[in-house]
Amino acid sequence: MKRSGVIWSWFWMILGILYFFLPLVATFLFSLRAKLGVLSFLAYTQLFHDSNFIKDFSFSVLWGLLTIIVGIVIFVPTAFWVRLKVPQVRTAVEFVTLLPFVIPAIVFVFGLVRTFSHPPFLIVNSPALLIAGYIVLSMPYMYRSIDTGLRSIDVRTLTEAGQSLGAGWGTILFRIILPNIRVAILSGAFLSFAIVMGEYILAQYLAKPAFAPFLAYLIQEKAYEPAAATIISFALTWACMGIIQLVGRGGPQAQLAGGH
Amino acid sequence: MTHLTLSNLSKQFSGNTVVQDFNLDVKKGEFVSFLGPSGCGKTTTLRMIAGFEVPTSGKVTLDDVDITDRAPNQRNVGMVFQAYALFPNMTVAQNIGFGLRIRRESGAAIKERVAEMLSIIHLEQKGNSYPYQLSGGQQQRVALARALANRPQVLLLDEPLSALDAKIRVQLRAEIRAIQRKLNTTAIYVTHDQEEALSISDRIVVMYEGRIEQIGTPFEIYNFPQTAFVASFVGTLNTTSAEVVDPAQKLLQIDGVQLQTAEDLANMHKGDKITIAIRPERFNFAAVEKKANILDCQIENITFLGSVVRIQVAVGSNRFYMDTFNNPFLELPKIGAQDQVTCSREAVLVLKS
C-alpha cells in the first residue's frame, strides 16, 4: 500500500474512534463531576442507592432475560422447522421478521393497547404483554441470528443422521442443532437484551417499570446521575459483547461444514 | 431367508414418478448396490428404506415386519451420508456412542462398544478428537462406525465415498466391505460409480428413470447385460443393430456380415431387428486365434490405456472397440491396415429392447 493510503487509513480510523468515543468519554468525565472541584464516583454511588434505579434496572434485566428465553423457545424451533420442512416459506417468514423495522414502535404499542385492553384479551396490565412486545421488537435480531447459525450447518443431514440413530425431535434440537448454533443464539440473545435495556416506548405506554423510562425521568430531574446510568448501560452492553466474543472464539463448532 | 423386502415401491413428487414398482429381496448379510445415473431414483429408494421419504405406494418389510409407516428413528436402520454428517459439537467417541446413549445403554456398555468400533475403523487414538480435526476419509470411517455401533438391522450408505479423492475411495471401499463382512451386516449401497459397485457388491441393482433395469451379481451385470441401458452404463460395450437371419441356427447379420450368437432366438423370426452387444475384450485378432465369428475390419485408431490397449476397428459402417492386454512385446497393427477380428458365439449378446 502506498504511504498516502496508509496515512488516510489512519486518518479515517482515528476520526471514527473520536466520533464514537469522544461523546462517551465526555459523558464519563461529566458523570465524575458530581462533587464540586474533584472527580468522584458520587453520581454512581447515589444511583446505586436510589431504590427506583435498582428496581427499574432489575426489572429491565428480568424482562430482558425472559425475552431471551421465550424468544429462543419460539424462534429456534421455528427457524429449524422452516429450514427443514418448509423452505419455500422462508422469504415470507423473513419479511415478517423485518416488520418491526418498518412499523414505528408507537404504532405497535397503540395496536397492542387497543387489541389487548378488551375481553377476551384483557391482558394489557400483564407483564406477559410487555415481554411479547419485546419479543416482537427483538425478532429481527433474534430470528436472523438463529437463521444465520442454521445456514452455517447442514441442518437436513444432521437431522437425518440423528433420526437414523434413534433420536427424536427434542433430542435432535437440543443435543445436535442447538449446540452447533450456540454462538448465533448468543448473538441474538445479547442483541435482544440490549434492545430491551434501551427500549422506552413499550414500557412507558404499558406503564411498566423499566430502565429506559427511569433514565428519561432521571434526565429531567438530575444532572450527573443520567450520565452515570448511561455509562453503566454501555458497560453492560459491552460486557455482553465481550461474552459473545469469548464464547464464540475457537471451539469445535468453529468448523462445521469443512474438515475434508 | 429374506431379510429386507421392498414390494412394489413407488414414489411420486408432484405427480412426477421418480421410483416405479421397485421390487427387491435382500438376504441377511448381503451387500447390495443401487447403481445408476443421477436422477434414476436410487437415493430416493434408499431414503424410503430409511424412512426419510414416505412411499406413494408399496411396502418396506424388515424381518417380516412392515416398517413402511414407521418414523426413521423407530427403524433400527443405520445410515452413512455422503457429507459424513458427524455432529461437530461432539468428539469422535461421543459421535460413535450417540445412538447408544439414545437407547439408554449403560456407560460401561457404551464405552466398550465405542472402543470396539474405534478399533474396527483403526482410529483408536482419535476418540477425543473433534470431527474437524480428522481427514475426510477418517470422518467417513467414524460415520460408518457411528452407524454400525447401534447394531442396525440394515446399513444404508448413500454415496459415502463421493466426496473423497480417488485413492482414498478405493482404499475405503475395501475397508467398508471388510467391516460389513466381519459384522455380517446387511448393506444397501448407493453409487453412480460402476467400478465401485462392481468391486464391492454381492448383487447390483441397476436403475434407470425410476425403474430396475437389471438385478444380478457383478459378474452377471458385466458379462450378461440384459438391456441396452445396462450394456451402455456398465463398462464399455460395442452395441449395434442386427437382423435375425436364421433363428434356429442363431444366425444374425450386421451390414451384410453374418454372426452367430449362443443366445436363444426361438421367439424370433427371420428379418426381426434386434440390438446386439459385444464387450471389447471379447474380440481378438483372427491371426492369433480363430473363433466362430470372423469379421473383416480396418484399423482406425489405437489408444494406450496403461494395462489395456484399445483398438478401434471399422466393420462395415459399424465402429467397434477391441481391448487387448498390454505387454512390452505386443505387436500392434498399423492404423489404416486391413485385418480380421474374431469373437465367440457367447460373446454376442442379444439385448432386450
Side-chain angles (χ1 to χ4, degrees):
Chain A
M1 194 190 279
K2 284 182 184 171
R3 191 177 161 77
S4 63
V6 174
I7 290 169
W8 276 111
S9 301
W10 277 103
F11 172 76
W12 288 116
M13 197 175 80
I14 290 168
L15 198 68
I17 288 173
L18 288 176
Y19 180 81
F20 286 111
F21 283 92
L22 216 53
L24 207 59
V25 171
T27 307
F28 178 63
L29 290 176
F30 183 72
S31 73
L32 300 179
R33 290 179 185 276
K35 197 181 268 185
L36 199 64
V38 287
L39 296 178
S40 73
F41 285 98
L42 180 64
Y44 293 87
T45 316
Q46 283 175 341
L47 204 57
F48 281 109
H49 280 100
D50 185 335
S51 61
N52 284 329
F53 169 75
I54 301 295
K55 188 184 76 179
D56 291 356
F57 192 80
S58 309
F59 267 119
S60 274
V61 171
L62 180 68
W63 302 145
L65 291 177
L66 286 172
T67 301
I68 289 168
I69 293 165
V70 180
I72 289 172
V73 168
I74 293 173
F75 294 131
V76 171
T78 306
F80 171 67
W81 203 252
V82 165
R83 196 157 268 282
L84 190 70
K85 295 286 181 183
V86 278
Q88 65 273 21
V89 303
R90 250 188 76 211
T91 315
V93 172
E94 276 183 10
F95 174 75
V96 170
T97 62
L98 292 176
L99 283 179
F101 284 153
V102 183
I103 299 169
I106 190 78
V107 175
F108 175 56
V109 171
F110 278 101
L112 285 180
V113 172
R114 268 188 79 89
T115 311
F116 296 106
S117 56
H118 309 286
F121 304 114
L122 187 54
I123 55 166
V124 76
N125 291 322
S126 160
L129 188 63
L130 182 69
I131 293 165
Y134 282 146
I135 289 170
V136 171
L137 290 183
S138 63
M139 184 164 64
Y141 307 99
M142 191 56 137
Y143 186 88
R144 295 182 83 81
S145 295
I146 292 167
D147 195 48
T148 304
L150 289 173
R151 201 178 303 164
S152 70
I153 59 174
D154 188 347
V155 174
R156 176 173 293 278
T157 313
L158 289 179
T159 303
E160 289 179 352
Q163 285 179 307
S164 72
L165 293 166
W169 290 113
T171 309
I172 290 167
L173 204 54
F174 285 103
R175 287 172 66 178
I176 300 173
I177 302 298
L178 265 178
N180 287 306
I181 58 167
R182 191 183 57 197
V183 177
I185 290 175
L186 273 176
S187 303
F190 288 133
L191 284 170
S192 301
F193 190 71
I195 297 282
V196 173
M197 291 305 289
E199 210 289 322
Y200 171 80
I201 297 172
L202 262 180
Q204 180 69 13
Y205 284 89
L206 292 176
K208 292 286 178 294
F211 181 59
F214 172 77
L215 202 58
Y217 156 78
L218 216 55
I219 289 167
Q220 289 168 2
E221 298 292 320
K222 299 191 176 180
Y224 301 102
E225 283 83 350
T230 305
I231 295 298
I232 291 170
S233 174
F234 262 99
L236 193 72
T237 309
W238 285 349
C240 288
M241 289 166 74
I243 293 170
I244 296 177
Q245 291 297 319
L246 272 177
V247 173
R249 196 165 48 191
Q253 80 286 3
Q255 50 84 39
L256 302 173
H260 54 270
Chain B
M1 184 189 155
T2 302
H3 182 50
L4 172 71
T5 305
L6 309 179
S7 318
N8 305 107
L9 216 54
S10 294
K11 179 68 184 174
Q12 291 184 337
F13 289 113
S14 315
N16 181 32
T17 303
V18 289
V19 177
Q20 198 174 344
D21 204 24
F22 193 102
N23 289 285
L24 179 70
D25 289 328
V26 182
K27 289 199 253 343
K28 170 81 185 145
E30 198 176 14
F31 197 113
V32 177
S33 291
F34 293 171
L35 174 67
S38 297
C40 72
K42 54 191 189 297
T43 294
T44 306
T45 308
L46 192 83
R47 289 173 63 80
M48 285 194 279
I49 301 171
F52 300 135
E53 301 289 351
V54 179
T56 308
S57 62
K59 219 163 66 167
V60 180
T61 312
L62 191 53
D63 280 335
D64 295 327
V65 178
D66 185 351
I67 60 163
T68 316
D69 298 321
R70 276 197 194 170
N73 60 341
Q74 306 292 325
R75 294 193 175 205
N76 195 24
V77 168
M79 182 119 174
V80 178
F81 299 84
Q82 182 182 340
Y84 320 138
L86 295 179
F87 306 134
N89 56 311
M90 298 180 199
T91 63
V92 166
Q94 286 168 339
N95 263 283
I96 295 173
F98 181 83
L100 303 169
R101 285 200 300 279
I102 298 289
R103 291 180 169 193
R104 300 183 188 282
E105 292 200 15
S106 70
I110 294 172
K111 204 173 167 188
E112 190 184 332
R113 181 68 173 161
V114 168
E116 184 189 347
M117 295 315 297
L118 281 171
S119 153
I120 286 174
I121 59 170
H122 309 298
L123 288 177
E124 293 93 334
Q125 309 303 318
K126 298 284 185 183
N128 292 323
S129 301
Y130 281 93
Y132 75 98
Q133 294 170 314
L134 306 179
S135 69
Q138 288 174 328
Q139 286 189 59
Q140 200 56 295
R141 272 147 69 192
V142 174
L144 179 68
R146 184 180 66 176
L148 288 168
N150 272 10
R151 298 180 181 86
Q153 285 170 280
V154 178
L155 175 68
L156 307 175
L157 304 108
D158 187 8
E159 306 207 31
L161 308 179
S162 301
L164 303 171
D165 63 54
K167 202 171 174 184
I168 300 207
R169 219 158 48 216
V170 172
Q171 184 193 331
L172 199 51
R173 79 182 182 213
E175 277 188 48
I176 289 174
R177 182 60 161 143
I179 292 169
Q180 180 267 338
R181 275 204 176 113
K182 184 176 179 182
L183 302 177
N184 195 33
T185 306
T186 309
I188 309 287
Y189 189 97
V190 162
T191 181
H192 60 263
D193 183 334
Q194 45 154 316
E195 188 192 315
E196 209 165 273
L198 290 169
S199 65
I200 204 170
S201 318
D202 288 319
R203 277 193 302 157
I204 297 172
V205 179
V206 184
M207 293 180 68
Y208 182 57
E209 293 186 339
R211 270 190 277 254
I212 294 177
E213 287 278 318
Q214 188 175 347
I215 302 175
T217 63
F219 186 85
E220 288 164 350
I221 294 287
Y222 185 83
N223 290 309
F224 306 107
Q226 287 174 1
T227 68
F229 174 77
V230 177
S232 63
F233 191 74
V234 181
T236 307
L237 200 72
N238 300 298
T239 57
T240 185
S241 54
E243 187 183 319
V244 177
V245 175
D246 184 346
Q249 296 293 315
K250 301 179 179 179
L251 206 58
L252 311 167
Q253 179 178 278
I254 52 166
D255 269 351
V257 180
Q258 290 205 335
L259 279 176
Q260 262 195 315
T261 177
E263 297 214 21
D264 186 10
L265 303 180
N267 295 330
M268 296 186 184
H269 305 96
K270 186 176 182 221
D272 281 355
K273 302 285 185 205
I274 58 169
T275 304
I276 61 163
I278 306 168
R279 289 270 177 216
E281 65 270 23
R282 303 299 299 270
F283 278 123
N284 290 108
F285 283 116
V288 179
E289 183 184 3
K290 286 195 169 48
K291 294 178 180 169
N293 300 303
I294 298 173
L295 311 171
D296 291 325
C297 67
Q298 183 176 21
I299 310 297
E300 288 207 324
N301 196 17
I302 298 173
T303 312
F304 181 65
L305 300 174
S307 61
V308 167
V309 179
R310 178 158 293 168
I311 301 162
Q312 185 184 313
V313 298
V315 178
S317 62
N318 290 292
R319 301 284 180 279
F320 292 147
Y321 289 119
M322 182 180 100
D323 283 353
T324 180
F325 278 119
N326 175 37
N327 76 65
F329 311 105
L330 187 66
E331 285 183 23
L332 291 170
K334 293 228 173 344
I335 292 173
Q338 296 293 325
D339 214 319
Q340 283 185 322
V341 290
T342 182
C343 68
S344 65
R345 275 187 287 269
E346 290 74 19
V348 181
L349 307 171
V350 176
L351 303 179
K352 286 179 191 164
S353 56

